[in-house]
């Protein structure tokens, strides 16, 4: 007991002070290296297209695969973190990201680029980012909200610096050598992972060994199996394996929540549809500017402007949405940000002058800050926290599907029409329709809940969006265990 108390006191000393702030710095760098990295791919779009004589649709598969894998790898990262820890997952992710980019510098075709820079680097970035956020949650308790807000600024810093660095290296030494250098830069994820040493907890450090009473029975069973006899426990083991597989799917992919919770269902469908258009300006803005006579360096500067404004606007948006006046109403703020993002695309259609494109980037960045700050906040409002990690797993996987197919389908439209303006038309369609769908659906859901309240249905809901089962259902269903959040 004395050793356990000493271990607990040691863990408490680590949290919220001392080395925890070094872990926060590492998390900022990690988010800049991982989430900020895909923003620079648009700088290489035209060069890759000319190098491999590819269409817009074929070239756009490269960033689409990278971003989709970055979002879809959450459940796999969660398993890796639980099995080996956050430090190991971050360092493995950094190694994969580096290997993917170094290998891509030797690619002879776009299909090889899909595999190396798209799949391998995207998966490595997913491991490093999500394991880094998880480690941050272990090191901070009292100041966890502040730590997450500060760490998210790394994304905006990455959005600012990656395009500028990419354009400079591309002009000096070409895209192949640039990708080779990027492989070395991404190895710094391993350094950040090394900083995130494990926090030892008294209860979590105990290992479970079989009791002496169980050993004779196990040994007798092993002797019977070695002699060719069938154990009565084999059928039971097969059943438990099936149950374990079902529980794992329920844990990481919340299909039951999707079917029962109308708020989660509406929000997931709306965000999945929105992502078809959300990522398009990031992929095609630089090629669109270059096609309309903007210098390549100035075109790359447009993405950096978006990132620079995000550094200041995103924390302010998070603080504003955290006010009590917006409790239960954040979905409408989120929908407003999505609507503004969709309407801003018409600025590019009106004019492609550099001054108008700068104005477009300012408006787009403000809308993006609202979307980035509220995406997971609204999800926490819709779903109970004990099922948040499983709801997040299904949410990110569905989101990654539309992130994967959105840019290539739009690229095919550009190839047919030879007009980049259709990129912004398409983006506006998905964003505006998703915004209207979420607003109208949640308004209808609120009216339905109010009618239930007036008809003497007990309003025992954790939030205004949740629909909980009645008493007879809750007695027949088993109680779900609390699931620790291992991916954000």
């Amino acid at each position: 007991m004395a050793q356990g108390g000493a271990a607990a006191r040691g863990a408490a000393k680590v949290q919220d002070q001392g080395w925890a702030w070094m872990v926060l710095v590492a998390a900022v760098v990690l988010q800049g290296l991982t989430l900020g990295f895909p923003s620079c791919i648009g700088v290489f779009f035209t060069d890759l297209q000319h190098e491999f004589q590819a269409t817009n649709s074929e070239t756009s598969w490269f960033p689409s695969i990278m971003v989709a894998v970055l979002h879809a790898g959450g459940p796999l990262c969660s398993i890796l973190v639980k099995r080996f820890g956050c430090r190991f997952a971050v360092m493995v992710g950094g190694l994969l990201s580096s290997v993917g980019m170094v290998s891509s510098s030797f690619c002879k075709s776009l299909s090889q680029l899909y595999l190396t820079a798209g799949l391998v680097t995207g998966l490595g970035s997913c491991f490093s980012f999500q394991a880094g956020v998880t480690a941050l949650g272990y090191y901070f308790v009292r100041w966890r909200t502040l730590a997450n807000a500060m760490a998210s600024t790394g994304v905006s810093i990455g959005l600012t610096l990656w395009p500028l660095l990419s354009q400079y290296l591309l002009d000096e030494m070409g895209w192949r050598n640039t990708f080779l250098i990027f492989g070395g830069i991404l190895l710094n994820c391993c350094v950040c992972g090394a900083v995130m040493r494990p926090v030892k907890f008294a209860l979590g450090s105990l290992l479970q060994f079989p009791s002496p009473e169980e050993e004779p029975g196990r040994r007798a069973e092993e002797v019977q199996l070695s002699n060719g006899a069938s154990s009565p426990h084999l059928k039971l083991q097969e059943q438990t394996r099936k149950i374990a597989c079902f529980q794992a799917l329920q844990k990481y992919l919340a299909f039951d929540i999707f079917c029962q919770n109308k708020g989660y269902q509406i929000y997931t469908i709306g965000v999945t549809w929105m992502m078809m258009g959300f990522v398009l300006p990031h992929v095609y803005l630089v090629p669109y500017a270059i096609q309309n006579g903007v210098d390549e360096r100035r075109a790359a500067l447009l993405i950096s402007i978006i990132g620079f404004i995000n550094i200041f606007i995103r924390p302010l948006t998070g603080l504003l949405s955290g006010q009590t006046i917006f409790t239960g109403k954040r979905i409408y703020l989120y929908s407003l940000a999505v609507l503004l993002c969709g309407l801003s695309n018409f600025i590019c259609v009106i004019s492609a002058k550099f001054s108008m494109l700068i104005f477009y980037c300012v408006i787009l960045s403000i809308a993006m800050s609202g979307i980035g700050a509220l995406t997971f906040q609204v999800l926490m409002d819709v779903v109970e926290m004990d099922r948040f990690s499983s709801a997040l797993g299904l949410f990110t996987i569905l989101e990654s599907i539309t992130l994967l197919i959105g840019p290539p389908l739009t690229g095919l439209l550009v190839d047919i029409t030879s007009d980049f303006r259709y990129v912004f038309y398409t983006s506006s369609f998905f964003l505006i329709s998703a915004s209207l769908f979420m607003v109208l659906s949640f308004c209808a859901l609120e009216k339905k809940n109010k009618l239930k309240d007036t008809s003497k249905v007990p309003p025992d809901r954790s939030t205004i969006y949740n629909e909980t089962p009645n008493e007879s259902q809750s007695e027949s269903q088993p109680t779900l265990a609390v699931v620790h959040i291992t991916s954000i």
Side-chain angles (χ1 to χ4, degrees):
M1 292 295 292
Q3 291 180 354
R9 287 191 297 271
K13 288 181 180 179
V14 172
Q15 292 175 336
D16 295 304
Q17 57 184 321
W19 193 256
W21 298 105
M22 289 297 298
V23 175
L24 176 59
V25 173
V28 172
V29 176
L30 268 179
Q31 295 202 22
L33 290 174
T34 54
L35 288 188
F37 180 68
S39 64
C40 71
I41 302 302
V43 176
F44 304 97
F45 194 93
T46 304
D47 290 81
L48 293 174
Q49 198 172 10
H50 294 160
E51 174 78 16
F52 299 110
Q53 298 297 311
T55 63
N56 290 289
S57 178
E58 292 171 344
T59 309
S60 62
W61 276 106
F62 161 44
S64 298
I65 293 173
M66 179 184 290
V67 175
V69 174
L70 178 59
H71 285 76
L76 185 59
C77 179
S78 300
I79 297 171
L80 193 65
V81 167
K82 287 189 175 183
R83 181 66 181 86
F84 299 103
C86 296
R87 171 188 271 182
F88 180 84
V90 171
M91 297 180 74
V92 167
L95 186 62
L96 284 175
S97 299
S98 176
V99 169
M101 292 309 299
V102 171
S103 302
S104 65
S105 64
F106 300 99
C107 288
K108 302 297 182 182
S109 65
L110 268 178
S111 58
Q112 295 175 0
L113 203 63
Y114 300 157
L115 180 64
T116 54
L119 181 62
V120 178
T121 301
L123 190 63
S125 298
C126 175
F127 288 170
S128 294
F129 161 64
Q130 298 199 14
V133 173
T134 304
L136 199 64
Y138 289 135
Y139 270 92
F140 286 92
V141 178
R142 180 183 177 187
W143 302 108
R144 183 173 293 169
T145 303
L146 175 63
N148 284 322
M150 293 177 65
S152 66
T153 60
V155 183
S156 303
I157 295 172
L159 284 171
T160 304
L161 298 180
W162 274 116
L164 297 177
L165 178 63
S166 301
Q167 189 61 57
Y168 172 76
L169 294 176
L170 181 63
D171 293 339
E172 294 295 326
M173 54 190 67
W175 71 269
R176 291 187 183 274
N177 291 327
T178 301
F179 280 11
L180 191 64
I181 294 174
F182 283 174
I185 294 175
L186 291 175
L187 272 178
N188 287 290
C189 293
C190 298
V191 180
C192 296
V195 172
M196 298 177 178
R197 56 194 183 196
V199 179
K200 295 182 180 180
F201 295 97
L203 297 176
S205 60
L206 297 177
L207 296 176
Q208 299 294 331
F209 295 96
S211 60
E213 293 80 3
E214 294 175 348
E215 287 296 328
R218 289 186 181 181
R219 290 176 181 174
E221 185 176 338
E222 290 175 0
V223 171
Q224 290 179 359
L225 291 174
S226 63
N227 293 332
S230 60
S231 171
H233 299 291
L234 287 179
K235 293 183 179 180
L236 181 61
Q237 289 178 356
E238 291 179 359
Q239 293 177 356
T240 55
R241 287 173 185 171
K242 293 179 180 179
I243 295 173
C245 292
F246 176 77
Q247 290 177 343
L249 288 174
Q250 186 177 4
K251 181 177 181 180
Y252 296 107
L253 301 175
F255 290 109
D256 57 331
I257 303 178
F258 185 81
C259 295
Q260 297 173 5
N261 189 330
K262 296 296 182 183
Y264 176 68
Q265 188 179 100
I266 294 168
Y267 185 60
T268 302
I269 294 173
V271 174
T272 301
W273 181 257
M274 179 203 74
M275 285 298 170
M276 285 284 289
F278 179 73
V279 74
L280 296 181
H282 302 273
V283 177
Y284 290 104
L285 179 59
V286 174
Y288 173 70
I290 293 174
Q291 188 191 51
N292 286 275
V294 179
D295 181 69
E296 292 183 356
R297 288 181 179 271
R298 301 177 80 184
L301 184 64
L302 295 172
I303 303 296
S304 297
I305 292 172
I306 296 175
F308 182 74
I309 297 175
N310 259 269
I311 296 175
F312 306 100
I313 301 298
R314 181 175 290 198
L316 293 176
T317 307
L319 290 174
L320 178 65
S321 63
Q323 300 299 315
T324 55
I325 191 175
F326 295 113
T327 302
K329 304 294 181 183
R330 294 187 185 94
I331 180 62
Y332 300 111
L333 283 178
Y334 183 82
S335 300
L336 180 63
V338 174
L339 180 63
L340 179 62
C341 192
L343 294 175
S344 66
N345 288 320
F346 291 108
I347 299 174
C348 286
V349 178
I350 295 172
S351 176
K353 293 181 180 180
F354 185 68
S355 58
M356 290 296 291
L357 292 178
I358 291 179
F359 177 65
Y360 163 71
C361 290
V362 172
I363 303 299
L364 179 65
S365 180
I366 295 173
M368 280 179 53
S369 299
I371 294 173
L374 291 171
T375 298
F376 298 120
Q377 190 78 11
V378 174
L379 186 61
M380 291 177 185
D381 291 342
V382 173
V383 181
E384 297 86 351
M385 282 305 298
D386 61 346
R387 298 300 309 278
F388 178 77
S389 61
S390 54
L392 182 64
L394 179 63
F395 181 81
T396 54
I397 287 179
L398 293 177
E399 185 182 55
S400 66
I401 295 174
T402 50
L403 285 171
L404 177 65
I405 64 177
L409 291 178
T410 308
L412 183 62
L413 182 63
V414 173
D415 292 331
I416 295 173
T417 61
S418 300
D419 191 350
F420 271 98
R421 288 181 298 178
Y422 284 98
V423 171
F424 302 98
Y425 286 133
T426 305
S427 178
S428 295
F429 167 74
F430 285 111
L431 290 166
I432 294 173
S433 59
S435 174
L436 296 176
F437 168 76
M438 288 188 286
V439 168
L440 296 177
S441 298
F442 274 103
C443 284
L445 186 59
E446 282 188 12
K447 290 182 180 179
K448 180 181 177 181
N449 290 336
K450 289 179 180 178
L451 290 175
K452 284 185 177 181
D453 292 343
T454 55
S455 60
K456 297 182 181 181
V457 175
D460 186 17
R461 297 185 297 272
S462 60
T463 67
I464 197 170
Y465 307 128
N466 286 331
E467 292 185 345
T468 55
N470 55 33
E471 294 180 0
S472 61
Q473 290 176 335
S474 61
E475 291 176 358
S476 61
Q477 292 179 351
T479 303
L480 295 172
V482 176
V483 180
H484 296 284
I485 301 173
T486 55
S487 62
I488 292 294

